[in-house]
Amino acid sequence: MDGVVDLGDIVVRRALETESDALAEIDTVAAGGDGERRASIRRWCGRGRALVAEDSSGLLGYCVLEYTFFEQGFVTMLMVAPPARGRGVGRRLLDATAASCTTPKLFTSTNVSNQPMQRLLHRAGWSPAGLLHGLDEGDPELFYLHRPRNGPAYP
């Protein structure tokens, strides 16, 4: 496989290192001036950890897979550009990330207040795995588990 998955009009592929600035522009936190997020996006792209979704209009979102959570896969970031939300971009990125995961378990987390992400994870077949208080004051972190069935799709 060449690392590109065509999902209708949306293509999911590994992000290029040179795309970090473009991804920072569609990331609402980075675009809002968060220099730390911009630095993280550069690092993720440089290390080959980010997948992007795009169509003929350009980049629609990105997803980051790392192996720093008890040596299991962890979706560190999922970001869909506001105009692209509700089109299945997040689901496609999650599915492609799960297909590329090389460990038997894949985790992610989101704040209790992030209802859209919780709905997406539920629809995508992820299972609740736990709750952690103390990361964001007054907004606990919900952890989710997915057991990928496929081998790596993005070498």
Side-chain angles (χ1 to χ4, degrees):
M1 179 173 196
D2 63 3
V4 175
V5 177
D6 186 346
L7 300 164
D9 64 333
I10 298 172
V11 173
V12 176
R13 62 171 174 77
R14 179 123 359 247
L16 303 173
E17 189 169 355
T18 56
E19 292 177 308
S20 65
D21 287 340
L23 290 177
E25 291 306 312
I26 65 167
D27 184 302
T28 54
V29 174
D34 189 316
E36 237 177 83
R37 177 66 67 85
R38 283 184 176 273
S40 292
I41 294 169
R42 267 192 301 281
R43 186 179 69 255
W44 294 326
C45 289
R47 293 181 181 166
R49 294 291 178 209
L51 296 180
V52 295
E54 66 181 345
D55 66 7
S56 59
S57 70
L59 295 174
L60 304 172
Y62 71 97
C63 193
V64 176
L65 172 62
E66 297 183 292
Y67 295 93
T68 55
F69 188 72
F70 299 96
E71 298 183 15
Q72 297 296 314
F74 192 88
V75 175
T76 303
M77 179 61 59
L78 174 65
M79 179 63 69
V80 176
R85 292 178 184 167
R87 293 180 42 203
V89 174
R91 174 68 185 266
R92 290 173 183 191
L93 282 164
L94 278 178
D95 289 349
T97 300
S100 72
C101 185
T102 60
T103 59
K105 297 176 187 174
L106 177 60
F107 292 89
T108 194
S109 69
T110 189
N111 291 99
V112 167
S113 65
N114 191 343
Q115 295 293 313
M117 181 64 170
Q118 291 173 54
R119 285 190 298 273
L120 171 60
L121 291 167
H122 177 75
R123 284 192 312 269
W126 291 63
S127 303
L131 178 69
L132 177 68
H133 292 271
L135 286 177
D136 294 325
E137 198 60 42
D139 196 4
E141 196 79 7
L142 290 168
F143 283 79
Y144 288 84
L145 168 65
H146 180 72
R147 295 182 187 269
R149 293 186 194 123
N150 303 328
Y154 296 87

